[in-house]
Amino acid sequence: MHDKKLALAIAALLGGCATPPPAVPPQTLNDYKLGVAKRIVAASRDTYATPVPEMLKSIVVLEITVDQAGAPLEVTAFRNNGYEELTLRAITSVVDAAPFAAPEPTLLQGAGSVSFLETFLFRDDDTFQLRSLVPAQ
């Protein structure tokens, strides 16, 4: 009887070892963008975490292109509303936070880089919050 329980326990243990680990879903562009946004905020002193005010001083949209190693290849202003110093601060915030995590090969889709937009929401005190990190309302 004792041998039978031991054999069952060993079989269960070995059977568990043969089970493959659960599949990890492929990284999406939104997943990657969220990781980049968190890194930018962690590296900057010019951010705020309170709710976004109804009126913003400026909205800056950057197009960020990251290479396969996570280094920014290009950071350009896609949209701004004339506050050049805030546009420059947004670009500098991205560059200063680099390098980022390397994008997964599935995200690169055979290319040497991946591009996405990130929106910087500037308050009157010139601090910013990233749109990717603003909770849904």
Side-chain angles (χ1 to χ4, degrees), residues 16-24:
C17 292
T19 305
V24 176

Side-chain angles (χ1 to χ4, degrees), residues 32 66-72 99-103 108 112-113:
Y32 187 73
V66 178
D67 71 11
Q68 59 195 8
F100 305 106
L108 293 169
S113 63

Side-chain angles (χ1 to χ4, degrees), residues 40 46 57-64 75-96 118-123 126-128 130:
I40 292 168
D46 298 327
K57 179 175 183 177
S58 182
I59 297 173
V60 176
V61 180
L62 299 182
E63 182 173 18
I64 303 168
V75 182
T76 56
F78 187 77
R79 174 188 185 267
N80 70 35
N81 24 344
Y83 291 97
E84 293 305 320
E85 68 280 1
L86 297 181
T87 301
L88 183 57
R89 182 177 298 156
I91 292 169
T92 302
S93 295
V94 173
V95 172
D96 288 349
E118 182 57 77
T119 304
F120 287 67
L121 308 170
F122 284 94
R123 290 192 310 197
D126 295 347
T127 59
F128 66 86
L130 297 177

Side-chain angles (χ1 to χ4, degrees), residues 8-56:
L8 287 173
I10 290 172
L13 183 64
L14 291 177
C17 292
T19 305
V24 176
Q27 182 182 45
T28 67
L29 185 57
N30 282 338
D31 295 335
Y32 187 73
K33 187 175 165 178
L34 185 62
V36 169
K38 287 178 180 178
R39 175 119 172 125
I40 292 168
V41 167
S44 180
R45 295 177 300 216
D46 298 327
T47 63
Y48 65 93
T50 58
V52 177
E54 286 187 31
M55 292 295 293
L56 292 164

